[in-house]
Amino acid sequence: MKKFFSLVLALVMAMILATVAWGVDASTLDYTYVLDSDPQYIDASQSYITVSSAEELQWVMANKNAIDDYIDTTLAPSVIDGGARLSNWTIKLDADLDFSNATIAPMELGYKYLDGQNHTIKNVTVDGNGGMAGLFRWNGGTISNLTVENITVINGGGYGTGAVAGGGGNYINVTAKNIAVSGEYAVGGISGYYGYTYTNCSVIGEANPITSTTSDCPDGVGGIAGFLNTDGSATITLTNCKVENTTINGYEEVGGIVGRAVASGTTDSIALTNCTTSKVAVTVAAEGTTYVGALIGRDYIGSRVTIDTPAVLAAKIGNTYYTTVADAITAAGANDAIVLLDANATIPDGYQVLANGTVVKTPVGGYYPIYIPVVEDTTDKDVTSAQTFDAGIALYVGVSV
């Protein structure tokens, strides 16, 4: 009898602890549903669940079947097939969600739409442990009006790692601030693998890295998306997207906006419109690679990727590339050689490019300059024509003496 009582008590305590741990069940959620023109059905496209806390968001993503059952049996029992189309509902945030530096697994986004309503999800580490990884593992619909901030995603393996999602779907008005994303293949600031529409998406960092950990093969690493592939039946668009103040690292196929872009079908296309980078450093491990760019690391097929305002990499230090000479100068150490890649790049005041190869010892900008020969470089640094430079051009860079 005592054993039986102890077992019952243990089960009761477990249930209490489980309730306390979640503090959420299907009956505590805020539902808004609209009946279809046929009142026997719920119009899923206009129905939504409102989420107010990090705890609720996790529960909603992990317990779709329980919500489905609740809709069918309690919320709308007289409606035929009320919850079966739950996958087409929207999840709406009505508050900022703070995960308080918790470590979680990627959440499963089993709903067609996630509308952040201009709120922020923040302070969380996502442990991918292989497979696709991001705050959400896969986006099967549209994520919109959302900011993620102070998000770290660590994925030791698998294909597709991003701060918002491992891959898939559409992203509208999505911003990632101060993120650190690390994976093997297809790594991006917003999403890692696939994705179809990116509109008004931004990655704004404090020099936090977006990094591929693979060391011996192309990976596809980009500030917005790692690897985009139309797969023979799609048009992918990136419009008004920007990446600022961050570092992007990979073996090769590394770009400021997209790492690898593949418009595989003869009628497919990938279009970048008004996409920019600022204060971005792009590092490649592969020696002599041509697959690095200010906007796109590699146009895999060629000719089907369009950029309305092409950008080039202005300078590099070793295998790290910069979009402006000023950024390279800021990053340079005392013994670093800056190689000029764009003959039309702006040279900051206090620095100059000469053709005589003479070491000038007159102070420039308060420092003594050193002579750094510019190598001839004919590699294609973006989806634009290559630049060739005359031997003997020199860039004077200030160093302390």
Side-chain angles (χ1 to χ4, degrees):
M1 187 67 177
K2 287 183 179 181
K3 289 183 179 180
F4 174 76
F5 178 77
S6 298
L7 178 60
V8 171
L9 180 60
L11 290 172
V12 170
M13 290 300 296
M15 292 174 63
I16 292 173
L17 288 172
T19 303
V20 171
W22 280 111
V24 179
D25 61 39
S27 67
T28 65
L29 299 174
D30 182 1
Y31 301 86
T32 299
Y33 71 93
V34 177
L35 293 180
D36 196 61
S37 55
D38 179 348
Q40 294 183 97
Y41 296 91
I42 288 176
D43 183 349
S45 67
Q46 298 188 61
S47 301
Y48 58 89
I49 300 171
T50 302
V51 170
S52 304
S53 68
E55 185 179 39
E56 281 191 348
L57 182 66
Q58 284 183 280
W59 196 92
V60 166
M61 297 304 162
N63 293 276
K64 185 179 172 186
N65 289 339
I67 294 171
D68 198 349
D69 290 343
Y70 178 77
I71 292 173
D72 284 341
T73 61
T74 304
L75 185 66
S78 62
V79 178
I80 299 173
D81 201 22
R85 290 179 290 174
L86 186 61
S87 295
N88 291 322
W89 282 47
T90 296
I91 302 300
K92 292 188 178 183
L93 309 186
D94 70 348
D96 292 345
L97 309 186
D98 191 342
F99 277 76
S100 302
N101 301 314
T103 297
I104 65 171
M107 289 181 283
E108 304 293 343
L109 181 56
Y111 305 85
K112 191 168 185 179
Y113 303 101
L114 174 71
D115 183 355
Q117 299 195 114
N118 300 317
H119 289 295
T120 299
I121 298 174
K122 59 187 177 181
N123 302 327
V124 62
T125 295
V126 179
D127 186 351
N129 194 29
M132 288 191 173
L135 190 61
F136 303 101
R137 189 180 302 280
W138 177 258
N139 173 15
T142 298
I143 296 174
S144 63
N145 309 316
L146 177 68
T147 295
V148 297
E149 186 173 1
N150 297 332
I151 304 290
T152 298
V153 181
I154 303 168
N155 194 15
Y159 211 109
T161 305
V164 179
N170 306 300
Y171 306 84
I172 301 172
N173 302 327
V174 174
T175 297
K177 293 182 178 179
N178 304 332
I179 60 170
V181 181
S182 176
E184 285 197 0
Y185 306 101
V187 182
I190 298 294
S191 72
Y193 188 50
Y194 278 61
Y196 300 102
T197 300
Y198 299 79
T199 302
N200 300 328
C201 291
S202 302
V203 172
I204 302 171
E206 293 180 350
N208 292 323
I210 300 168
T211 301
S212 167
T213 56
T214 184
S215 60
D216 59 358
C217 65
D219 32 36
V221 187
I224 297 292
F227 179 5
L228 295 181
N229 189 344
T230 60
D231 211 13
S233 61
T235 296
I236 296 174
T237 60
L238 297 96
T239 307
N240 300 329
C241 293
K242 65 182 180 181
V243 178
E244 298 179 353
N245 195 30
T246 193
T247 58
I248 305 168
N249 310 314
Y251 183 76
E252 61 179 351
E253 298 186 349
V254 185
I257 299 292
V258 179
R260 178 194 288 191
V262 183
S264 53
T266 57
T267 61
D268 292 359
S269 64
I270 298 176
L272 275 67
T273 303
N274 193 32
C275 293
T276 60
T277 62
S278 175
K279 298 188 181 302
V280 169
V282 179
T283 301
V284 290
E287 295 292 338
T289 182
T290 61
Y291 302 135
V292 54
L295 299 180
I296 294 179
R298 184 183 186 186
D299 175 3
Y300 194 81
I301 300 296
S303 78
R304 298 176 195 149
V305 175
T306 61
I307 302 175
D308 70 330
T309 308
V312 297
L313 295 163
K316 70 175 183 176
I317 301 172
N319 285 350
T320 299
Y321 295 77
Y322 301 88
T323 53
T324 69
V325 175
D327 289 346
I329 290 171
T330 298
N335 298 313
D336 285 335
I338 296 177
V339 176
L340 189 66
L341 300 175
D342 179 11
N344 298 314
T346 299
I347 308 301
D349 292 342
Y351 302 88
Q352 51 190 312
V353 178
L354 302 177
N356 59 16
T358 305
V359 177
V360 178
K361 295 186 178 179
T362 302
V364 176
Y367 296 93
Y368 286 89
I370 60 172
Y371 170 72
I372 299 172
V374 174
V375 301
E376 184 179 89
D377 193 305
T378 59
T379 55
D380 185 352
K381 296 302 174 187
D382 216 315
V383 192
T384 58
S385 59
Q387 300 280 353
T388 304
F389 303 98
D390 296 331
I393 297 175
L395 175 63
Y396 283 83
V397 179
V399 295
S400 300
V401 295

